Amino acid sequence: MRLQGIPKAKIAEELGIQEVGRLKIWMRKYREQGDFGLMEHRGRRKEYKDLEREVKRLRLENDVL
């Protein structure tokens, strides 16, 4: 939505998000890590997260090739 020129405050309002700061954090996580950045990671072991991250990186690399 941001790419369409809609201000973050307007997007937050339309989605019912009370804190624009939360939306900014989600946008940054998505920009940096894609879908993986928005996934729930609480309670998951670090090695599982690392393996998932590696698999995602390899899939993206394969897509480029």
Side-chain angles (χ1 to χ4, degrees), residues 37-64:
L38 300 177
M39 292 174 55
E40 178 67 56
H41 298 290
R42 288 182 283 183
R44 299 178 79 190
R45 296 181 61 169
K46 183 176 177 8
E47 57 265 19
Y48 293 135
K49 289 191 277 186
D50 289 343
L51 287 174
E52 288 176 1
R53 193 173 293 128
E54 178 69 9
V55 168
K56 177 146 178 108
R57 185 188 67 77
L58 291 171
R59 285 187 178 148
L60 289 172
E61 189 176 300
N62 285 338
D63 288 345
V64 169

Side-chain angles (χ1 to χ4, degrees), residues 15-16 23 28 33-34 46 60 65:
L15 296 175
L23 180 62
R28 180 178 41 82
Q33 302 174 12
K46 183 176 177 8
L60 289 172
L65 296 174

Side-chain angles (χ1 to χ4, degrees), residues 1-54:
M1 287 187 192
R2 175 69 192 244
L3 298 176
Q4 297 173 354
I6 302 171
K8 287 182 235 178
K10 177 79 170 155
I11 294 170
E13 179 184 329
E14 288 182 15
L15 296 175
I17 301 169
Q18 295 178 356
E19 299 177 33
V20 176
R22 174 61 46 198
L23 180 62
K24 289 178 183 180
I25 291 169
W26 290 341
M27 289 174 70
R28 180 178 41 82
K29 284 185 175 187
Y30 183 78
R31 188 173 49 251
E32 292 172 357
Q33 302 174 12
D35 293 337
F36 183 80
L38 300 177
M39 292 174 55
E40 178 67 56
H41 298 290
R42 288 182 283 183
R44 299 178 79 190
R45 296 181 61 169
K46 183 176 177 8
E47 57 265 19
Y48 293 135
K49 289 191 277 186
D50 289 343
L51 287 174
E52 288 176 1
R53 193 173 293 128
E54 178 69 9

